[in-house]
């Protein structure tokens, strides 16, 4: 008879994932758990099975993507309003079919639809979305329809997956509730860390584990971006960082010989708390960083600028950043350069996720003894040309 109470290792076996991934699922709250008197995590089998969408399907994971469908003249208002919402990525569309393509490519956490009584096609799309079982975990928010008119087809007023929002001022709170839920997110650390972390840290760490990027070999696509960041912004150091529970690991690094640092050293801990670029013009006088070993010690860093790098589901995995040994700043053009390079890094991560999805589909769609799974689509060999020449001599500890 199957056990009703499982260990983390037993849960991992059922899910078909590594023990580390199962641990992050459990500690991030995706699978409810409790601790034994000895401090060991336990879960119910039914809760493990609940995260599996069906036979031979990968586990279902949360998303931090928000899809907005609105009129062209209102898109800017929506984007300005949602810029205040933390820990999500907003994609705006005026064309319904482009929005549907984005929704179908990767299911979002929230779909926002502007109510426009004169547009019958928009509400036909809304009814179609509501009837799609694949969107069972997606919240649909309808903005701006008066209470007396809250009727969609044969269904009126708010229902489980559809909520009406009176206007733009109330939209940010509705989205935060939809993404984070009414229950406080569990803290994925046994003891409070010395660094700040986002409210969705458990989900973020799970997304990082899911990306499969940590502790992988260097790749040309990412090395080109750090090279471009350093050279175009006249910085001696440029890094693509990934923040694990205990480490700041560098997927790509230019001008620095260290492969990683303790998580507590990461200036990027503050970058992942926001959407835009974070700039510290003088680290030595900034109270957040003045006592940081990378500032006080041999490295002697004085300037930092970083921009979040996100995965396909909108979770921030780390940042693309530039660092200098002298106080300075970035002008608006330089900030735009850094933001665009970070967006390219995010796109590369999304391509790798698509690659894994395709190879997973091929592998699971191939009969036993059939053709081999598709080879990797990305070449991971390092090209030395990117490392030739620096804006200034390398900083750091020789490896």
């Amino acid at each position: 008879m199957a056990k009703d109470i499982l260990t983390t290792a037993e849960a991992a076996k059922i899910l078909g994932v590594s023990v580390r991934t199962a641990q992050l699922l459990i500690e991030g709250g995706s699978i409810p758990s409790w601790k034994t008197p000895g401090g060991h995590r336990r879960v119910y089998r039914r809760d493990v099975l609940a995260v599996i969408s069906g036979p031979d399907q990968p586990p279902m994971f949360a998303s931090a993507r928000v899809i907005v469908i609105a009129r062209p003249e209102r898109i800017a208002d929506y984007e300005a309003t949602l810029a205040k919402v933390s820990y999500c990525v907003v994609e705006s569309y005026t064309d319904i079919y482009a929005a549907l393509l984005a929704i179908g490519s990767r299911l979002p956490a929230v779909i926002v639809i502007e109510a426009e009584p004169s547009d019958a096609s928009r509400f036909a799309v809304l009814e179609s979305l509501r009837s799609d079982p694949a969107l069972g975990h997606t919240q649909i928010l309808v903005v701006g329809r008066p209470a007396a008119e809250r009727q969609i087809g044969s269904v009126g007023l708010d229902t489980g997956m559809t909520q009406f929002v009176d206007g733009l001022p109330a939209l940010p709170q509705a989205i935060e509730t939809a993404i984070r839920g009414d229950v406080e997110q569990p803290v994925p650390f046994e003891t409070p860390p010395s660094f700040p972390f986002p409210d969705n840290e458990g989900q973020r760490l799970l997304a990082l584990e899911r990306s499969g990027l940590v502790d992988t070999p260097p790749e040309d696509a990412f090395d080109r971006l750090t090279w471009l960041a350093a050279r175009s912004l006249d910085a001696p150091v440029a890094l693509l960082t990934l923040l694990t529970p205990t480490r700041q690991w560098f997927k790509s690094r230019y001008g620095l010989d260290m492969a990683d640092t303790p998580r507590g050293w990461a200036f990027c801990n503050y970058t992942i708390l926001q959407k835009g670029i974070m700039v510290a013009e003088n680290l030595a006088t900034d109270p957040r960083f003045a006592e940081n070993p990378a500032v006080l010690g041999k490295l002697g860093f004085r300037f930092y600028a970083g921009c979040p790098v996100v995965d396909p589901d909108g979770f921030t995995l780390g940042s693309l950043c530039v660092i200098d040994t002298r106080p300075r700043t970035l002008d608006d053009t330089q900030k735009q350069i850094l933001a665009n390079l970070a967006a390219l890094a995010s796109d590369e991560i999304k391509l790798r996720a698509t690659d894994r999805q395709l190879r997973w589909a091929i592998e699971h769609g191939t009969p036993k003894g059939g053709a081999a799974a598709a080879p990797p689509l990305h070449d991971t060999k390092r090209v030395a040309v990117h490392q030739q020449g620096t804006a200034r001599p390398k900083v750091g500890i020789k490896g």
Side-chain angles (χ1 to χ4, degrees), residues 98-115:
L100 291 175
L101 183 61
I103 293 168
S105 66
R106 203 162 185 99
L107 301 180
V110 181
I111 301 171
V112 176
I113 299 181
E114 181 187 29

Side-chain angles (χ1 to χ4, degrees), residues 86-111:
S86 301
Y87 317 130
C88 73
V89 170
V90 178
E91 301 172 22
S92 303
Y93 297 90
T94 59
D95 181 86
I96 290 177
Y97 297 103
L100 291 175
L101 183 61
I103 293 168
S105 66
R106 203 162 185 99
L107 301 180
V110 181
I111 301 171

Side-chain angles (χ1 to χ4, degrees), residues 98-328:
L100 291 175
L101 183 61
I103 293 168
S105 66
R106 203 162 185 99
L107 301 180
V110 181
I111 301 171
V112 176
I113 299 181
E114 181 187 29
E116 189 178 358
S118 61
D119 190 349
S121 64
R122 185 166 299 177
F123 287 101
V125 169
L126 178 55
E127 281 207 76
S128 175
L129 292 174
R130 286 161 50 89
S131 64
D132 189 340
L135 293 172
H137 294 278
T138 298
Q139 184 77 59
I140 300 176
L141 302 178
V142 184
V143 181
R145 200 164 200 188
E149 300 178 4
R150 292 182 177 180
Q151 183 80 21
I152 303 173
S154 59
V155 179
L157 302 178
D158 296 350
T159 60
M161 67 179 294
T162 305
Q163 300 292 324
F164 289 87
V165 181
D166 289 333
L168 280 180
L171 185 57
Q173 182 59 51
I175 289 178
E176 287 189 2
T177 299
I179 291 177
R180 296 169 54 187
D182 296 320
V183 180
E184 183 178 354
Q185 292 285 336
V187 177
F189 303 102
E190 292 293 335
T191 58
S194 60
F195 50 84
F197 57 90
D199 290 341
N200 66 345
E201 178 70 358
Q203 291 175 307
R204 193 197 68 80
L205 289 172
L206 177 60
L208 178 60
E209 174 77 9
R210 187 164 72 247
S211 76
L213 290 170
V214 177
D215 293 326
T216 56
E219 298 181 58
D220 292 346
F222 295 116
D223 289 344
R224 292 187 184 103
L225 295 176
T226 51
W227 184 88
L228 282 169
R231 299 306 292 265
S232 60
L233 299 176
D234 191 28
V237 176
L239 305 168
L240 177 58
T241 70
L242 299 174
L243 299 182
T244 79
T246 59
R247 292 187 297 155
Q248 173 184 227
W249 183 76
F250 306 131
K251 174 58 182 171
S252 177
R253 63 189 192 274
Y254 178 95
L256 186 69
D257 288 329
M258 304 172 69
D260 60 11
T261 73
R263 172 79 182 264
W265 290 26
F267 308 132
C268 301
N269 283 321
Y270 290 86
T271 304
I272 67 171
L273 299 178
Q274 58 191 55
K275 289 185 178 180
I277 292 174
M278 199 278 283
V279 177
E281 297 183 358
N282 190 340
L283 295 167
T285 60
D286 191 316
R288 296 172 297 177
F289 309 117
E291 301 298 320
N292 190 300
V295 177
L296 287 176
K298 182 178 179 181
L299 293 173
F301 292 151
R302 290 295 180 268
F303 167 81
Y304 167 90
C307 189
V309 172
V310 301
D311 79 343
D313 294 310
F315 293 108
T316 302
L317 305 184
S319 78
L320 182 69
C321 63
V322 290
I323 301 174
D324 208 330
T325 53
R326 58 185 173 88
R328 54 175 289 197

